[in-house]
Amino acid sequence: MAFVLPKLPYADSDLDPVISAETIGFHYGKHHNTYVVNLNNLTKDSPLADASLDDVIAQTYGKADKVGLYNNAAQIWNHTFYWNSMKKGGGGAPTGRIADKINADFGSYDAFRTAFSTAALGQFGSGWAWLVNDAGKLKIVKTANADGPGWMGAGKPLMVVDVWEHAYYIDYRNRRADYVSAFLDKLVNWEFADSQLG
Ligand code: MN
C-alpha cells in the first residue's frame, strides 16, 4: 500500500484571491506531492512500506538516521491538516463550542488572534503555527520545519497555518504578516477545528 496524496477538500481556485490557484498548484501539486513521492521511494521494499503515516512518524521522530523518512512523512501529515484548516469564506471569530473554549482559555477572540499571529510571525524560518488542545486547555504552539505538536507531546492539533515561504511567496512575496492576517480573517475552517476537539 503506497502512501497517497489526499484529495484537497476544495477546488484549486476556491481560496482565491486569498490563496491563488497558482499557489495551490505549486504548494499542493508540487511540494505536498513531492513529499508523497519521496516517502514512497524511501519506504519501498522496507517494513515501513505498509505502515500508516502515523506509524512512520512515530517510528522516525527524533532518530538522526531516519530524518529523511521523518521529514517527508511529517510534512505529508502537516500539509493534509493545513488544507483541512481552511475553507472558502472562512475565518473571523468562530461560534459555538470552539468559540467558548477560545474565550475561556485566551480571554477573547482578539487575544487569541494576537497570540496566534505573534507565534506565526515569530517562527524564524520555516515552520508552522498551531492551535492545539493540550489536556483540555487550548494553546498556541509553533514548530520548526516538519515538526508537529501531536507527536511531540505538545497537544492535539485543532488547526494550523503553514509559514514556510512556499505557502505565501507567490501571493504575498515576503509579507508573511499579510498572509497570516488573511488566513485568520478569511480562511480558517472553524468547523474543522471544532471537530478536532473530539
Ligand atoms: Mn508547505
Side-chain angles (χ1 to χ4, degrees):
M1 254 267 308
F3 298 95
V4 296
L5 179 68
K7 275 207 168 7
L8 276 183
Y10 31 72
D12 285 19
S13 58
D14 275 357
L15 306 184
D16 189 82
V18 188
I19 292 179
S20 67
E22 185 183 6
T23 288
I24 298 282
F26 279 94
H27 197 182
Y28 171 74
K30 305 289 185 193
H31 290 278
H32 193 172
N33 187 57
T34 297
Y35 298 129
V36 175
V37 170
N38 288 346
L39 187 62
N40 281 319
N41 287 334
L42 288 166
T43 55
K44 204 175 168 200
D45 302 324
S46 87
L48 286 176
D50 295 317
S52 70
L53 192 61
D54 286 346
D55 282 345
V56 174
I57 294 168
Q59 291 179 40
T60 59
Y61 171 59
K63 302 208 168 115
D65 60 333
K66 302 227 163 58
V67 70
L69 278 163
Y70 169 73
N71 282 338
N72 284 284
Q75 283 294 76
I76 295 169
W77 199 102
N78 292 345
H79 282 87
T80 302
F81 203 80
Y82 170 64
W83 305 127
N84 283 315
S85 294
M86 300 184 285
K87 68 169 191 177
K88 181 186 178 80
T95 56
R97 193 172 57 148
I98 190 81
D100 294 342
K101 282 294 294 170
I102 283 173
N103 288 332
D105 294 338
F106 295 98
S108 67
Y109 171 75
D110 285 346
F112 153 80
R113 193 189 181 290
T114 299
F116 190 89
S117 297
T118 300
L121 301 184
Q123 172 54 39
F124 184 76
S126 296
W128 306 81
W130 308 76
L131 176 65
V132 304
N133 179 6
D134 188 8
K137 188 172 169 61
L138 300 199
K139 292 180 180 170
I140 290 160
V141 174
K142 57 184 179 178
T143 61
N145 301 318
D147 283 343
W151 52 85
M152 298 172 75
K156 182 183 188 297
L158 303 178
M159 68 93 162
V160 70
V161 65
D162 186 344
V163 295
W164 284 57
E165 281 188 346
H166 67 216
Y168 58 88
Y169 217 83
I170 291 171
D171 298 323
Y172 298 87
R173 298 303 178 194
N174 60 313
R175 303 188 312 276
R176 187 191 287 189
D178 291 351
Y179 159 69
V180 171
S181 281
F183 171 87
L184 285 165
D185 296 340
K186 298 174 180 172
L187 289 183
V188 178
N189 186 341
W190 284 117
E191 292 77 17
F192 174 75
D194 192 293
S195 75
Q196 300 306 299
L197 284 170

